[in-house]
Amino acid sequence: MKLRKIILIILLISLFLPASTRAQTLEPPADVKALLDSMSPEERVGQLFLVTFTGVDTSETSQIYDLIVNYHVGGVALRSANDNFTAAPETVPQAYDLISALQTLNWDSSLYPPADPVTGAIAPREYVPLLIGVAQEGNGAPTDEILSGLTPLPSELALGATWNSELAQKVGEVRGRELAALGFNLYLGPSLDVLESPNPAGGDLASRVFGGDPYWVGEMGRAYVSGLHKGSENGLLVIAKHFPGVGGADRLPEVEVSTVRKSLEQLKQIELAPFFSVTGNAATPEATVDGLLVSHIRYQGFQGNIRATTKPISFDPQALAQILELPQFSTWRANGGLIVSDDLGTNSVRDFYVQNGDKFSARNVARDAFLAGNDLLYLGNIVSDDVADAYSTTKRVLESFAQKYREDPAFAQRVDASVLRILAMKHKLYGNFSIISVKPVLAGLNNIGSATDLAFEVARNSATLISPNLQDLSTVLPNPPQANEQITFITDTAVTRQCSACSEMSSIPVDALQKASLQLYGPQSANLTSDFRLKSYSLQNLQSLLDKLDPPFIEKDISESSWLVISITDASQNQPALIRRFIAERADLVRNKKVIVFSFDAPYYFDATDISKFTAYYALYSKQPQFVEVAARLLFQELTPVGASPVSIAGIRYDMITATAPNPNQIIPLFLDLEPVPVVTDGTVTPEATQIPLFQIGDTIAIRTGVIKDNNGHPVPDGTVVRFSTILTGEGGGILQQTDVTTTQGIARSSFGLDKPGLLEIEAASEPANISTVLQLDVSQSGAVAVTVIVPELTAPVEATPEPEAVKEVSEYISQAGYPRFASWFLTMLFLAFSVWVAYSAGIRLADPRSALRWALGVTLGGLLAYNYLAFGLFGIFNWLSATGFSGLMTFVFLGEAIGFAAGWVWSKF
């Protein structure tokens, strides 16, 4: 114990020394190779494995203690399915304590190595920090491991629907900061798969991808990776998945090994393009991933022969090597990039290996994955057929690798090469291999879970109106739900748990939308609805209704409602089919109702016929609480949806290739491609005016386009072809030169030599956008001329950009929907009381007490009837009140009082 205290004191003192002094006193290994040379075969082999365990126990009797201390495993992955996390509110502090305990016992084992059980000898060992990994994709269960305590961040598809890489980076920063604060140093993500052809029946990655265009998936992925590194202060290794891409698969990689018919050339165009963006083509070191997670997917026709099918890429050394030899990966790989196997303990791997009746051997699986080219092997909950559990299986795998290392020099060389990469990555994380540098400070937990405003910003910017289009929405839904209208919510609720012993949690509570609507628009806020007018049921209740199990109240409530709001969270339980069946079998319940559908997942589960039966169909892409709030705001028409789907939707003929093509209704701007003017930071110096360049025969003119926009109003993807043309006008003229170039960040550049005299025009086109501004030069044999810019008119009608909806003024007297507020009621009652007093006083003076009472009663009844007529919105009168405001209210009440007085006067005559 004294030795341990001395070491810890020295480490603590070193943190307060100057950087140069620290480097001298606690100099990390100058050569990672020296560290490798000092390690035993068991220690080297242990670094290859990322293992799992059950529970949170790290005591000397626990399985994970044995694997770390005696088998030297180099990494651990924490999973909710293995009960590695506890229930709220202890989820976050317990995760921090567990990670700290794992790193501490690994450190202790290097200070006090255990004695050999046979010889009793104590062999010194090197301390190498553990990799602690997690897959926290966003969007809650099942793609998040930690379900509470962290900021509820959105799915990748929600980020894709914003088309805003800055938001993707911000979300990555929050994710990186919070995971690093807990002590995680390995992030299994993000998914860089391209969902080129979504499957409406489900079974694909759905909201787990950034989209269906390879360029935009790469842009969003690059920004997200930058955010992860920045937020964690480079304390997180980022392992992009599911390399080389499973977007074309029709089932999830953990369920079954899919076979996709694509050649390597086709993969380079679609699936591999986003991975290029974060490896060889990464713009900055922060945007470069540290590793690639290799998926279990097969390719038919990979090398051109359509009859040849690869093994799963994770087990195919030839196919994987052929991909990694591509220039975009070879440089990244040479700079230390890690290759990590996907979970080897999944059912898909087991089914592949036992399909011929063989027994499942984890040792063979791990060996095949390693020899295929994977450096780090994610064992997961792998269990051999001849072993009782994952713990015993993992030990056998480790023992077999250590034995193979000693017996096979070629195998040992391969192990050393991978271990060297892993050690280099750990050295990159920490530099100093000490417990002080590895364990995060406890104070870092104070800022966890506080970035909910960012989640709302993503929700607001991603919300998409799928059908009808925005111009038609005001026709089919001229007004939001009114105070006298009933709304029934049918919500898809899935039950999950943080751990097997934890209480149940709902992905979206059955009354989530009802509560959000009441909070925003109930009596305590805008007073547009009331609790007794809102009813909530689950899809299970709807199923019971269709199966004639007579669930209480649901049929009656739907029948009495003016609005039916249906929400789905995915298609895993055939939810779209249930909604389709309900509308078909119970058309009587949806007739003459406003049917609003919210998808809190992918937007492509309904076909054209289904969508035609919805009044409005929105996509929210994520089921976090902020997205539910945005759904309520959309329902009450407070927000205008501004997002656009990042994946194709067959039901509305929305295709990503068309959506990202140049918008034909634009004039492509052209400019001279001049050197940028230096920015003058000294305010005392007045910069000279930019000189207009002049050109003559023999010069070269460099030009560029402005940002070319696609049909969603965003820059076209990189690689979009633009054709520049030089035209000589006049007699004997024609096209002198045409050059095809591709865009970068939406801009294309080219240059032309001026070698012929005459009136020259330069223009650009990018199909189907064929009109651009024209650069015109009247080049003569002598003298220099300037460029004239000519802006043509579009020959095709340009779709008018819809004006933003006017924001209704907020009045303390009249609500946005046109109903009187409390202040209006109070003032109206005062005015009514005054009018009654005037009528009664006039009756006493001009007639008799009997007549005075009847005049006063007439005024009272007339005024109350007029006010109630407005308050209940009878016959659409609220539209008039919304336009006229409080003055209209008082005028209407006064008119009612006048009619009442006249009736009282007539009554007094009898």
Side-chain angles (χ1 to χ4, degrees):
M1 289 297 293
K2 289 184 178 180
L3 176 62
R4 180 181 178 186
K5 289 181 179 179
I6 291 171
I7 293 174
L8 288 175
I9 290 171
I10 293 173
L11 292 173
L12 285 170
I13 293 173
S14 71
L15 293 178
F16 297 95
L17 295 175
S20 59
T21 306
R22 273 209 313 271
Q24 294 171 2
T25 56
L26 284 177
E27 183 75 15
D31 186 359
V32 176
K33 181 68 166 58
L35 175 61
L36 174 67
D37 291 341
S38 66
M39 300 172 70
S40 67
E42 285 76 15
E43 288 176 297
R44 300 183 191 200
V45 163
Q47 290 297 313
L48 300 175
F49 292 94
L50 189 66
V51 304
T52 58
F53 68 101
T54 302
V56 297
D57 181 19
T58 60
S59 67
E60 294 184 7
T61 59
S62 66
Q63 296 175 351
I64 191 59
Y65 181 94
D66 185 32
L67 291 175
I68 292 174
V69 173
N70 298 318
Y71 287 87
H72 317 284
V73 295
V76 178
L78 301 186
R79 298 163 60 164
S80 59
N82 289 342
D83 291 344
N84 295 142
F85 304 103
T86 56
E90 300 301 321
T91 310
V92 164
Q94 174 273 326
Y96 174 87
D97 291 342
L98 175 60
I99 294 170
S100 297
L102 292 171
Q103 295 287 16
T104 300
L105 73 87
N106 185 41
W107 163 259
D108 288 345
S109 70
S110 68
L111 294 181
Y112 310 106
D116 185 281
V118 178
T119 65
I122 298 178
R125 63 172 63 181
E126 297 289 343
Y127 170 63
V128 180
L130 292 171
L131 292 177
I132 308 293
V134 70
Q136 189 81 2
E137 298 182 16
N139 197 30
T143 51
D144 276 342
E145 299 294 343
I146 301 175
L147 303 182
S148 57
L150 302 181
T151 298
L153 294 177
S155 68
E156 290 186 13
L157 197 62
L159 287 171
T162 68
W163 301 78
N164 187 333
S165 58
E166 291 183 5
L167 281 178
Q169 179 167 337
K170 289 179 181 179
V171 170
E173 288 179 18
V174 173
R175 175 71 76 217
R177 182 176 66 248
E178 294 188 346
L179 292 181
L182 289 176
F184 289 106
N185 54 20
L186 181 71
Y187 181 70
L188 303 176
S191 297
L192 296 183
D193 305 282
V194 180
L195 198 58
E196 184 182 8
S197 300
N199 183 7
D204 54 23
L205 290 174
S207 61
R208 297 171 62 185
V209 300
F210 286 115
D213 179 82
Y215 166 76
W216 280 104
V217 172
E219 286 294 291
M220 303 299 283
R222 180 187 291 161
Y224 193 86
V225 170
S226 296
L228 287 167
H229 282 138
K230 183 178 179 181
S232 66
E233 298 181 355
N234 291 315
L236 203 61
L237 297 182
V238 180
I239 313 297
K241 59 185 184 184
H242 303 86
F243 184 77
V246 299
D250 57 0
R251 60 210 71 194
L252 297 176
E254 59 266 28
V255 175
E256 185 178 349
V257 174
S258 297
T259 300
V260 175
R261 182 177 292 186
K262 281 199 174 182
S263 67
L264 178 58
E265 287 302 313
Q266 291 173 309
L267 292 176
K268 287 161 61 177
Q269 297 297 319
I270 305 294
E271 280 82 354
L272 291 175
F275 293 99
F276 292 158
S277 298
V278 295
T279 52
N281 294 345
T284 63
E286 289 76 18
T288 305
V289 294
D290 304 286
L292 298 173
L293 188 82
V294 183
S295 184
H296 313 306
I297 187 169
R298 309 178 72 187
Y299 293 105
Q300 188 176 16
F302 179 76
Q303 293 180 324
N305 183 0
I306 196 62
R307 291 175 175 79
T309 303
T310 67
K311 296 178 184 177
I313 291 293
S314 49
F315 303 110
D316 192 323
Q318 289 77 28
L320 182 56
Q322 195 171 347
I323 294 174
L324 293 178
E325 286 169 0
L326 294 172
Q328 294 87 344
F329 297 129
S330 59
T331 302
W332 169 82
R333 183 76 169 143
N335 290 331
L338 277 179
I339 301 298
V340 184
S341 79
D342 204 345
D343 187 350
L344 300 178
T346 60
N347 288 332
S348 59
V349 173
R350 170 176 287 274
D351 292 343
F352 176 77
Y353 270 84
V354 302
Q355 60 183 339
N356 295 324
D358 299 329
K359 287 190 174 182
F360 183 72
S361 170
R363 286 173 290 184
N364 292 342
V365 170
R367 180 201 61 207
D368 291 348
F370 180 67
L371 295 178
N374 294 285
D375 300 307
L376 185 62
L377 304 178
Y378 181 14
L379 290 183
N381 296 334
I382 193 168
V383 181
S384 293
D385 283 345
D386 57 346
V387 182
D389 53 29
Y391 164 63
S392 302
T393 300
T394 299
K395 291 199 300 182
R396 286 200 181 182
V397 171
L398 288 161
E399 290 165 354
S400 69
F401 265 62
Q403 180 180 351
K404 182 74 171 173
Y405 185 95
R406 287 188 166 89
E407 296 173 350
D408 187 344
F411 184 82
Q413 187 177 7
R414 172 72 182 85
V415 169
D416 288 348
S418 290
V419 173
L420 199 62
R421 289 179 180 276
I422 295 168
L423 293 178
M425 281 295 177
K426 292 184 178 183
H427 185 270
K428 173 184 171 182
L429 283 175
Y430 300 113
N432 294 327
F433 283 0
S434 66
I435 192 63
I436 297 298
S437 61
V438 171
K439 285 180 61 175
V441 295
L442 185 61
L445 300 184
N446 296 334
N447 296 324
I448 285 181
S450 59
T452 53
D453 288 348
L454 176 59
F456 180 81
E457 185 180 1
V458 175
R460 182 170 55 84
N461 284 280
S462 63
T464 305
L465 177 64
I466 305 299
S467 177
N469 59 43
L470 197 57
Q471 290 80 4
D472 294 337
L473 182 64
S474 59
T475 301
V476 297
L477 285 177
N479 295 293
Q482 305 301 314
N484 62 336
E485 293 181 318
Q486 181 166 306
I487 308 172
T488 295
F489 299 98
I490 307 293
T491 304
D492 179 14
T493 60
V495 174
T496 186
R497 300 174 187 266
Q498 180 63 81
C499 63
S500 59
C502 298
S503 300
E504 289 185 346
M505 306 166 59
S506 295
S507 55
I508 297 183
V510 66
D511 59 348
L513 260 174
Q514 176 177 338
K515 287 183 175 179
S517 299
L518 275 176
Q519 181 180 358
L520 295 169
Y521 306 104
Q524 303 304 317
S525 50
N527 199 27
L528 299 183
T529 189
S530 303
D531 190 16
F532 72 93
R533 295 194 183 277
L534 305 181
K535 311 295 179 182
S536 295
Y537 297 94
S538 67
L539 279 183
Q540 289 82 357
N541 297 138
L542 190 66
Q543 176 84 53
S544 298
L545 173 65
L546 296 178
D547 293 342
K548 304 187 186 307
L549 299 179
D550 298 327
F553 308 122
I554 182 172
E555 183 171 6
K556 173 179 177 293
D557 286 337
I558 293 177
S559 178
E560 294 176 353
S561 294
S562 301
W563 296 72
L564 181 60
V565 180
I566 302 173
S567 302
I568 64 169
T569 58
D570 57 42
S572 61
Q573 304 297 322
N574 268 336
Q575 294 95 319
L578 177 62
I579 296 169
R580 192 175 297 121
R581 177 188 169 195
F582 166 66
I583 293 177
E585 295 182 8
R586 296 306 307 266
D588 58 306
L589 290 180
V590 298
R591 189 177 298 118
N592 298 325
K593 288 181 173 53
K594 300 175 181 67
V595 180
I596 311 298
V597 176
F598 291 113
S599 175
F600 291 95
D601 192 60
Y604 47 75
Y605 296 132
F606 296 102
D607 59 28
T609 302
D610 300 329
I611 295 173
S612 68
K613 299 174 183 178
F614 305 153
T615 309
Y617 177 30
Y618 296 90
L620 279 300
Y621 308 103
S622 191
K623 52 184 179 288
Q624 301 287 29
Q626 293 74 20
F627 289 78
V628 175
E629 178 184 336
V630 166
R633 294 180 185 273
L634 290 172
L635 176 64
F636 282 85
Q637 299 182 14
E638 179 184 337
L639 290 181
T640 299
V642 296
S645 175
V647 291
S648 299
I649 307 173
I652 59 171
R653 296 185 178 180
Y654 176 83
D655 176 69
M656 283 307 300
I657 294 177
T658 303
T660 56
N663 186 341
N665 298 321
Q666 68 179 312
I667 297 174
I668 299 174
L670 286 184
F671 306 96
L672 294 175
D673 197 9
L674 304 176
E675 291 291 331
V677 178
V679 178
V680 178
T681 57
D682 187 353
T684 62
V685 179
T686 302
E688 295 182 3
T690 304
Q691 294 184 352
I692 300 175
L694 301 177
F695 298 94
Q696 58 188 359
I697 294 292
D699 287 345
T700 298
I701 180 171
I703 59 175
R704 66 174 177 85
T705 68
V707 176
I708 302 174
K709 299 297 183 69
D710 67 13
N711 285 293
N712 281 328
H714 307 112
V716 294
D718 283 6
T720 299
V721 176
V722 178
R723 172 166 291 180
F724 289 94
S725 301
T726 305
I727 303 170
L728 181 64
T729 63
E731 186 177 353
I735 297 176
L736 295 180
Q737 185 179 355
Q738 286 187 331
T739 304
D740 287 348
V741 297
T742 57
T743 57
T744 301
Q745 300 294 315
I747 296 173
R749 287 178 164 85
S750 187
S751 59
F752 296 91
L754 303 178
D755 52 6
K756 287 188 178 183
L759 184 61
L760 297 180
E761 292 184 349
I762 302 175
E763 57 188 31
S766 182
E767 290 288 346
N770 294 318
I771 301 177
S772 74
T773 56
V774 178
L775 302 184
Q776 190 177 79
L777 301 89
D778 191 0
V779 184
S780 60
Q781 295 283 1
S782 61
V785 296
V787 173
T788 302
V789 180
I790 300 174
V791 182
E793 294 184 0
L794 285 172
T795 55
V798 182
E799 291 186 12
T801 303
E803 294 292 333
E805 293 183 3
V807 178
K808 298 178 182 178
E809 294 185 4
V810 178
S811 169
E812 60 179 314
Y813 301 109
I814 305 298
S815 70
Q816 290 185 9
Y819 292 101
R821 296 184 186 272
F822 175 79
S824 297
W825 174 85
F826 183 74
L827 292 176
T828 302
M829 294 304 105
L830 289 179
F831 178 68
L832 182 59
F834 174 75
S835 300
V836 170
W837 177 79
V838 169
Y840 186 79
S841 299
I844 292 294
R845 290 176 177 274
L846 301 177
D848 53 68
R850 176 173 171 272
S851 297
L853 180 61
R854 294 188 175 187
W855 292 3
L857 285 174
V859 169
T860 302
L861 291 174
L864 288 176
L865 285 173
Y867 178 82
N868 288 326
Y869 187 83
L870 294 176
F872 287 102
L874 300 177
F875 305 105
I877 197 67
F878 53 82
N879 290 328
W880 173 80
L881 183 56
S882 180
T884 59
F886 182 68
S887 60
L889 169 66
M890 298 308 295
T891 301
F892 199 81
V893 171
F894 179 76
L895 180 62
E897 291 176 346
I899 295 173
F901 175 79
W905 183 82
V906 172
W907 185 21
S908 67
K909 297 301 180 182
F910 295 97

